[in-house]
Amino acid sequence: MASTSTACVLSLLSLLLLLFTCPSVSQSNQFCEVGTGYGEAGCGIPASSSSKLLIKGGTVVNAHHQEVADVYVKDGIIVAVNPNLKVGDDVKVLDATGKFVMPGGIDPHTHLAIPFMGTEAIDDFFSGQAAALAGGTTMHIDFVLPINGSLTAGFEAYEKKAKNSCMDYGFHMAITKWDEVVSKEMEIMVKERGINSFKFFMAYKGFVMINDELMLEGFKMCKSLGALAMVHAENGDAVFEGQKRMIELGITGPEGHALSRPPVLEGEATARAIHLARFVNTPLYVVHVMSIDAMEEIARARKSGQRVIGEPVVSGLVLDDSKLWDPDFTTASKYVMSPPIRASGHDKALQAALSTGVLQLVGTDHCTFNSTQKALGIDDFRKIPNGVNGIEERMHLVWDTMVESGQISVTDFVRVTSTECAKIFNIYPRKGAILAGSDADIIIFNPNSSFEISARSHHSRTDTNVYEGKKGKGKVEVTIAGGRVVWENDELKVVPGSGKYIEMAPFSYLFNGINKAEELYLASFHAPVNRFKSTT
């Protein structure tokens, strides 16, 4: 009996040793395998167990206001935001003197674990979210792809993909076919599953591309449900023709990707989607605006009073297409995404549009494939999986590019990286604010610190980084997600399964007044006209 007890004790000690020697996510860019003997504690360094936090002396920044104040957090919720708060002794204190205390970033556009172009994105809901947290993003909204057109099957598959999530997330839903079943499923998604946005791909012919008839039906359904219609705006038929043209010319490398889908095709599709949304009288969200052509269509529509949201992504704001002509395929292929990264000049124009409110918020389109996956298209650019990283780098690059250059203010930074997204997708002020009652998703940001980006130190599972070597000012020093300190002293403290699915209600502020506008529009017809009918 004694020997059995001794064996049990030794086994327990071995298990504890294994648990506490598992490396953190930030060490050597390695991830422990989830569910291999670690129980519910997960992997890496356990997140802060304190349910109470006091952030002292920082400048609290919201999209509308900034002030020096303390922030008191209890059980994952912000309880108070006031100067010189007094609390008990059982509170973890974080000194934010001389630093900014901001809402955690919200990335409106990600693709984690997406099956695409014969492979699957290498970042899943654990690794991608861990990378996000290291970069100060505390929530993202991912795109669910239907399975054989079924929204329900797609949603259930993504629920399983997200089981190991370590931060909060929401879902958009793509629409890839149209029939009565899809129409009914859209209603179920909005009323029962917490989805308030649907994406329509105008590109990727033969895969997820839809035609104008389907888009019109989808837009009408979105309007009736109070859900936001989103578009990937490129003329897919013309892109297909452009791809054939490049191959005929013997252009098979990554540069052919950009040459086959020029800005004019993005501009045309953006204009078409805007006109159809105006015809239906429903708000429209244009994802990853990459060109002057698309941006100018959005500017024109907004000037006329139409409700159109334009989302640039960080790659479009800070990169140009020169690397696509690099003689090294591995280097060039990592920049392949759609719409393509554009020639120099488009980036500056998009920055100006963001600073003047023509474009409203910044996403990433984070969709990562490693160099081996990208090599699937080594002899044919059409087979290179489309996608770049950005979920970890977004906050730092937007600060350095837009705030350090004087193009936007600190409060604007909060707006374009967090608050506007929360408002558009109807989760404000639960998210996107440092206010009493808001979720405790918070970052402590040091404007005087610096950063350098490298694939050697990032937390994505991909082996390349399109921002390799970029340096700048401003660094996220602490990330708090759901009241837990998950990034501090350059160490991640993430727990798989700790993230929550955030349901998003329909009828955001973009729908305010839509019914009244509809009444005025119908009244303007002066029809039908009562006419005398001939009696002969």
Side-chain angles (χ1 to χ4, degrees):
M1 190 75 175
S3 61
T4 303
S5 299
T6 302
C8 289
V9 170
L10 289 173
S11 296
L12 180 59
L13 287 172
S14 297
L15 181 61
L16 289 171
L17 180 63
L18 181 64
L19 177 62
F20 288 106
T21 56
C22 174
S24 73
V25 172
S26 58
Q27 291 173 324
S28 305
N29 196 21
Q30 297 296 311
F31 290 85
C32 297
E33 291 299 320
V34 178
T36 52
Y38 302 108
E40 295 181 358
C43 158
I45 303 171
S48 170
S49 59
S50 174
S51 63
K52 300 177 183 178
L53 296 173
L54 180 64
I55 306 169
K56 286 197 65 68
T59 299
V60 175
V61 185
N62 282 297
H64 63 285
H65 179 64
Q66 66 182 71
E67 62 175 332
V68 176
D70 300 340
V71 181
Y72 178 48
V73 171
K74 182 178 178 182
D75 296 332
I77 303 295
I78 297 171
V79 176
V81 183
N82 282 301
N84 304 312
L85 286 173
K86 305 297 181 185
V87 295
D89 296 331
D90 58 337
V91 179
K92 177 180 173 69
V93 178
L94 298 169
D95 185 5
T97 304
K99 302 171 187 178
F100 293 117
V101 180
M102 303 172 175
I106 307 174
D107 189 339
H109 189 158
T110 63
H111 299 281
L112 301 182
I114 184 176
F116 191 52
M117 297 182 72
T119 185
E120 182 171 292
I122 198 165
D123 274 327
D124 60 19
F125 275 79
F126 178 59
S127 67
Q129 291 183 352
L133 291 169
T137 288
T138 53
M139 181 179 168
H140 70 111
I141 312 178
D142 210 80
F143 286 89
V144 173
L145 287 183
I147 295 177
N148 297 323
S150 170
L151 310 191
T152 301
F155 185 89
E156 290 172 352
Y158 271 74
E159 277 187 314
K160 292 176 182 176
K161 289 176 188 281
K163 281 192 180 298
N164 289 325
S165 62
C166 55
M167 74 180 198
D168 291 356
Y169 61 95
F171 286 146
H172 310 289
M173 176 70 73
I175 302 296
T176 57
K177 60 177 267 190
W178 190 259
D179 55 29
E180 281 303 310
V181 175
V182 171
S183 176
K184 290 174 182 176
E185 283 189 310
M186 285 180 71
E187 185 173 4
I188 292 169
M189 291 297 132
V190 171
K191 294 182 178 179
E192 299 178 19
R193 301 297 182 95
I195 286 178
N196 66 2
S197 51
F198 295 92
K199 182 178 182 181
F200 302 85
F201 287 90
M202 302 172 75
Y204 300 118
K205 186 172 182 176
F207 176 41
V208 291
M209 176 179 157
I210 52 86
N211 58 28
D212 288 357
E213 181 183 6
L214 190 156
M215 191 156 59
L216 278 168
E217 292 295 335
F219 281 10
K220 289 191 293 183
M221 193 64 185
C222 284
K223 178 184 176 182
S224 69
L225 294 171
L228 183 57
M230 312 175 81
V231 289
H232 172 136
E234 289 182 287
N235 186 313
D237 289 320
V239 167
F240 185 74
E241 177 62 29
Q243 291 174 329
K244 288 194 299 181
R245 184 185 302 171
M246 292 305 114
I247 297 299
E248 289 168 0
L249 292 170
I251 301 171
T252 60
E255 69 278 8
H257 177 75
L259 294 170
S260 68
R261 48 211 308 155
V264 65
L265 301 188
E266 186 185 353
E268 184 280 331
T270 302
R272 182 157 38 100
I274 286 171
H275 293 322
L276 293 180
R278 185 166 190 166
F279 176 67
V280 175
N281 189 31
T282 196
L284 182 69
Y285 184 114
V286 183
V287 305
H288 49 40
V289 177
M290 298 294 286
S291 66
I292 294 171
D293 305 55
M295 177 270 290
E296 287 182 341
E297 297 293 345
I298 293 167
R300 189 176 296 113
R302 289 178 62 85
K303 188 175 181 180
S304 73
Q306 191 174 347
R307 297 178 189 188
V308 180
I309 298 294
E311 170 211 270
V313 290
V314 68
S315 54
L317 290 171
V318 306
L319 299 175
D320 63 50
D321 71 350
S322 58
K323 291 291 187 180
L324 285 166
W325 274 260
D326 194 287
D328 177 62
F329 175 85
T330 299
T331 299
S333 64
K334 72 180 179 181
Y335 292 90
V336 170
M337 65 172 291
S338 294
I341 297 166
R342 303 300 186 184
S344 180
H346 288 269
D347 51 348
K348 299 297 183 185
L350 294 175
Q351 291 173 26
L354 182 64
S355 70
T356 55
V358 171
L359 303 175
Q360 287 71 50
L361 74 169
V362 182
T364 62
D365 196 8
H366 182 92
C367 186
T368 49
F369 301 96
N370 64 22
S371 55
T372 301
Q373 293 171 303
K374 291 279 189 175
L376 292 169
I378 195 165
D379 297 317
D380 186 345
F381 68 84
R382 296 172 298 180
K383 298 178 182 178
I384 300 172
N386 289 195
V388 302
N389 61 291
I391 201 169
E392 181 170 359
E393 297 82 9
R394 179 183 70 125
M395 300 287 280
H396 292 114
L397 288 171
V398 172
W399 179 275
D400 187 64
T401 303
M402 300 301 298
V403 182
E404 283 296 316
S405 66
Q407 294 186 78
I408 64 172
S409 66
V410 180
T411 52
D412 283 337
F413 174 79
V414 169
R415 176 177 55 80
V416 302
T417 61
S418 184
T419 307
E420 189 61 29
C421 181
K423 289 182 176 180
I424 288 169
F425 295 104
N426 222 9
I427 51 174
Y428 181 88
R430 177 181 179 181
K431 303 289 187 182
I434 306 291
L435 297 171
S438 298
D439 285 358
D441 294 343
I442 303 168
I443 60 172
I444 299 176
F445 189 92
N446 188 343
N448 299 312
S449 191
S450 60
F451 67 86
E452 180 175 359
I453 297 171
S454 172
R456 294 187 304 275
S457 58
H458 72 199
H459 297 84
S460 167
R461 283 192 171 124
T462 187
D463 59 345
T464 63
N465 193 308
V466 293
Y467 310 103
E468 185 71 39
K470 282 196 174 290
K471 301 176 182 179
K473 281 193 69 178
K475 185 178 180 182
V476 176
E477 293 190 338
V478 178
T479 304
I480 299 162
R484 297 176 295 110
V485 177
V486 294
W487 172 253
E488 188 178 23
N489 300 321
D490 290 335
E491 275 192 325
L492 269 171
K493 308 169 185 180
V494 292
V495 179
S498 59
K500 300 188 300 296
Y501 174 62
I502 304 299
E503 294 190 3
M504 298 179 289
F507 294 104
S508 73
Y509 80 90
L510 292 169
F511 287 85
N512 292 347
I514 284 286
N515 289 339
K516 187 65 177 177
E518 188 81 4
E519 291 172 8
L520 294 172
Y521 173 65
L522 294 175
S524 72
F525 287 178
H526 303 297
V529 175
N530 292 320
R531 291 182 172 87
F532 294 108
K533 294 182 179 179
S534 174
T535 58
T536 59

